[in-house]
Amino acid sequence: MPQTIGLDFGTSNTVAVIADGGNATVPVSFADGQDSFTSLATVLSFLDRRPSGSAQPEVGPWAIRQFLESTGDVRFIQSLKSFAASRAFQGTGIYGKRMDFEDLMATFLTLAFRRAGTTFDPASVRLVVGRPVEFAGYNPDEELAIARYRKAFAKAGFEDILFVMEPVGAAFSFAQSLTQDTTILVADLGGGTTDYSVMRFETHAGHLSATPLGRGGIGIAGDTFDYRIIDNVILPKLGKGSSYQSMGKQLEIPPNLFSNFARWHMLSVFKTSDDFKEMKKLLRWSLEPEKIELFIDLVEEDQGYPLYKSVSETKARLSSQDEVELSFAPLGAGFRASVSRRDFDRWIAPDLYKMNKALDATLDKAGLQDTGIDRVFLTGGTSFVPAVRRLFAERFGQERISGGNELTSVANGLALIGAREDAADWAVAA
């Protein structure tokens, strides 16, 4: 069997695991100074090197450092996966060079493996790629997303490519520990999407087989939860809900302008949009111009990533604390906001309801009731949110809930699947 790489290309983080053709797997690891990690932030940056050369790209923490510390002009791109299924995204200009989705993804992958110090020849390995059950975004085009993925992997030098549903990869990883036939519900709760998969695992003469019973999902996950904090805590400081004067009337500043900013991964696009030009025009008529000025400053100073980082860290701390403090220096040295888990749970309640309805639909497709599920395996960073775990515990009982290796289980399962002789049977027609 060829060497296999399982790739979990995520909205927020990317994980890769290498299998040697058997049951042994090794996560692709990265080293940054004294820090070692296996989950790489899915971000790209390009430092303007003109006129002496082309843009200098970086990935992960090196991209973040380049963006925050460089004295030169830097383009920062994040949540690349969110654009995969969008026909509206036709590429972007990077200092005089146009790059489409495939160029950006291939650049990220090539630099990521280079930063990891891997020495394999892409053409000689099998790449097993996780794909979400439902791609994120408004009216996502699944065929377009997969076509873009294929072109990106080809640009990066890969030839042998299989696509496997992300929750199937997680289920396979978990199934290695099973000692009896089991019906498993996997909930893969990432940054951009929540994916469900119901599978029946059986063992015959030591050979593990699986029958897919149903799958489903929804484009709601951790990034949506981040937005709820931004919407309730940050955006009022930037003028949301405020008004402007026009022709003798007092009108509310259009809420969609704030929604565009709250989608932090779109900040680089928003910065050159007609909506941003409209906001600048409204400044002179605003009844609270200091808030709109702050809004404009944050956009022009590319504060999207620092804001995301601050909000995401706040959300993470709410997983273990009842109340935390959110601070963000660009809003003012004295800005402090208290965020309680009770408020956070209330803000995300409509999202949890939709996630639960998507789960209902998945079980309906599988022809199962809650009682027909033997084990529930939660994976992905958003599975740490207490309200999310409570949703599953209340439906299935805490005794049926399992977890572990939440950030690497998908890639690990993908690599193990790729090492099997029947790997193609686990793949989906893409």
Side-chain angles (χ1 to χ4, degrees), residues 358-426:
L359 178 54
D360 289 341
T362 303
L363 293 179
D364 285 344
K365 291 178 184 177
L368 295 172
Q369 301 292 323
D370 291 359
T371 53
I373 300 297
D374 298 318
R375 299 293 295 274
V376 178
F377 182 65
L378 304 181
T379 188
T382 304
S383 67
F384 292 110
V385 175
V388 171
R389 302 192 78 88
R390 187 163 60 248
L391 182 156
F392 289 94
E394 290 175 350
R395 282 195 68 156
F396 300 99
Q398 185 61 46
E399 70 280 359
R400 282 189 275 173
I401 308 298
S402 298
N405 299 316
E406 284 84 357
L407 301 181
T408 60
S409 62
V410 172
N412 189 71
L414 296 174
L416 289 172
I417 288 172
R420 292 170 61 98
E421 292 184 358
D422 64 348
D425 295 339
W426 296 77

Side-chain angles (χ1 to χ4, degrees), residues 9-341:
F9 178 70
T11 305
S12 302
N13 295 282
T14 293
V15 177
V17 171
I18 297 176
D20 62 1
N23 291 323
T25 59
V26 178
V28 173
S29 61
F30 306 85
D32 181 23
Q34 299 297 315
D35 297 327
S36 179
F37 46 93
T38 57
S39 181
L40 183 71
T42 311
V43 296
L44 267 172
S45 70
F46 294 87
L47 174 64
D48 188 5
R49 299 295 296 271
R50 297 172 301 174
S52 60
S54 58
Q56 177 181 323
E58 268 297 359
V59 296
W62 302 279
I64 296 169
R65 188 177 303 120
Q66 180 171 266
F67 172 67
L68 296 176
E69 299 178 1
S70 176
T71 57
D73 192 15
V74 178
R75 278 293 306 278
F76 191 72
I77 297 174
Q78 54 204 48
S79 291
L80 182 59
K81 186 178 180 179
S82 299
F83 300 102
S86 172
R87 286 202 172 274
F89 182 75
Q90 296 297 320
T92 186
I94 304 292
Y95 305 123
K97 179 182 178 181
R98 184 167 184 78
M99 299 186 73
D100 56 22
F101 177 89
E102 297 91 314
D103 294 324
L104 294 170
M105 187 176 186
T107 299
F108 173 82
L109 292 173
T110 301
L111 289 176
F113 285 121
R114 186 180 302 166
R115 274 293 186 182
T118 55
T119 58
F120 62 83
D121 175 10
S124 67
V125 304
R126 168 177 290 167
L127 183 67
V128 184
V129 184
R131 57 144 293 177
V133 174
E134 299 286 341
F135 280 93
Y138 173 74
N139 194 26
D141 188 326
E142 179 178 307
E143 291 186 3
L144 174 65
I146 295 301
R148 284 174 165 174
Y149 271 33
R150 285 198 178 279
K151 290 180 181 178
F153 298 136
K155 285 177 178 286
F158 295 97
E159 299 176 0
D160 184 2
I161 305 165
L162 294 176
F163 288 91
V164 174
M165 291 292 177
E166 290 168 353
V168 172
F172 191 87
S173 184
F174 175 64
Q176 305 306 301
S177 62
L178 296 178
T179 58
Q180 60 186 17
D181 297 347
T182 307
T183 300
I184 300 176
L185 164 67
V186 175
D188 184 8
L189 305 135
T193 62
T194 292
D195 293 324
Y196 302 120
S197 183
V198 182
M199 304 187 72
R200 177 66 179 176
F201 281 88
E202 298 176 336
T203 301
H204 301 283
H207 179 75
L208 183 67
S209 64
T211 302
L213 303 179
R215 69 191 190 205
I218 190 169
I220 293 174
D223 289 350
T224 306
F225 295 171
D226 289 342
Y227 169 78
R228 301 307 174 203
I229 296 176
I230 293 173
D231 189 37
N232 286 278
V233 179
I234 302 296
L235 293 186
K237 301 293 183 181
L238 304 181
K240 184 178 181 181
S242 66
S243 303
Y244 68 100
Q245 200 77 24
S246 176
M247 301 180 67
K249 296 181 179 180
Q250 187 171 308
L251 304 173
E252 182 182 2
I253 292 179
N256 69 289
L257 298 178
F258 299 94
S259 296
N260 286 336
F261 181 80
R263 291 158 54 204
W264 47 267
H265 60 274
M266 290 288 289
L267 185 60
S268 60
V269 177
F270 177 62
K271 188 176 180 180
T272 58
S273 70
D274 291 337
D275 281 347
F276 189 48
K277 295 176 183 177
E278 181 68 18
M279 179 60 83
K280 288 183 174 181
K281 292 179 182 178
L282 291 175
L283 174 60
R284 70 174 67 181
W285 312 114
S286 173
L287 299 182
E288 297 181 88
E290 69 284 354
K291 292 184 177 181
I292 305 304
E293 287 178 348
L294 184 55
F295 177 105
I296 293 171
D297 288 344
L298 292 179
V299 175
E300 291 186 333
E301 294 173 7
D302 291 316
Q303 290 295 327
Y305 181 79
L307 175 60
Y308 152 73
K309 188 172 184 292
S310 179
V311 169
S312 184
E313 289 174 350
T314 298
K315 180 184 68 178
R317 285 186 287 131
L318 282 173
S319 293
S320 59
Q321 301 177 46
D322 291 332
E323 189 166 346
V324 298
E325 184 179 85
L326 169 61
S327 61
F328 187 58
L331 289 177
F335 172 74
R336 296 287 188 278
S338 179
V339 182
S340 70
R341 186 187 296 176

